């Protein structure tokens, strides 16, 4: 299940997993200034989201999550993006995340499967 980390042109992992009976292709990339995660069950990029940790003086970190383009009426897509940026931040990185989700199924189980697969194959 684990993807092999490649180094050129940027560090990345590329793998396929089955989530709720759907073949899901994942690519996790680490650029100099952000992380890119692509997950697709439909062969296209789907909805593109951006998430970053806000710089502030509060003890609790805050995060900004937004849809760059695609489905804006899917709160679960925002939730999965927030979950991943929180994981990145808690791992010590302050780099933002660009997340591409092209999914047949937006159920909670599918989204949990994607989060698990990405965290298992993370590059942060």
């Amino acid at each position: 299940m684990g993807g092999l980390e490649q180094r050129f042109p940027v560090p990345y992992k590329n793998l396929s997993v089955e989530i709720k009976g759907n073949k899901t292709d994942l690519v996790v990339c680490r650029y100099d200034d952000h992380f890119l995660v692509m997950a697709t069950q439909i062969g296209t990029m789907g909805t593109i989201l951006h998430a970053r940790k806000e710089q502030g003086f509060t003890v609790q970190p805050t995060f900004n999550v937004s849809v760059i383009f695609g489905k804006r009426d899917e709160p679960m897509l925002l939730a999965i993006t927030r979950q991943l940026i929180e994981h990145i931040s808690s791992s010590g990185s302050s780099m933002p995340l660009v997340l591409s989700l092209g999914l047949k199924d937006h159920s909670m189980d599918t989204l949990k499967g994607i989060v698990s697969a990405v965290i298992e194959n993370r590059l942060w």
Side-chain angles (χ1 to χ4, degrees), residues 18-100:
E18 189 163 308
I19 299 174
K20 285 191 67 186
N22 290 310
K23 178 180 180 265
T24 306
D25 295 316
L26 294 169
V27 178
V28 181
C29 303
R30 183 180 65 230
Y31 290 86
D32 288 339
D33 58 349
H34 68 278
F35 294 105
L36 171 65
V37 174
M38 294 181 283
T40 186
Q41 297 173 332
I42 59 175
T44 63
M45 292 183 73
T47 300
I48 312 293
L49 301 108
H50 181 268
R52 63 185 165 86
K53 181 179 179 180
E54 292 288 339
Q55 301 301 331
F57 299 105
T58 61
V59 175
Q60 289 293 88
T62 57
F63 301 94
N64 180 307
V65 178
S66 59
V67 176
I68 296 174
F69 43 77
K71 294 187 177 195
R72 298 186 184 277
D73 59 347
E74 290 275 354
M76 292 307 296
L77 299 183
L78 295 172
I80 184 178
T81 307
R82 180 173 301 280
Q83 194 171 359
L84 287 172
I85 193 65
E86 287 176 359
H87 190 277
I88 290 169
S89 176
S90 69
S91 297
S93 176
S94 60
M95 288 200 301
L97 168 70
V98 174
L99 178 63
S100 163

Side-chain angles (χ1 to χ4, degrees), residues 2-16:
L4 182 65
E5 182 176 343
Q6 306 291 320
R7 302 293 309 164
F8 184 81
V10 295
Y12 74 94
K13 289 185 180 180
N14 184 6
L15 63 143
S16 292

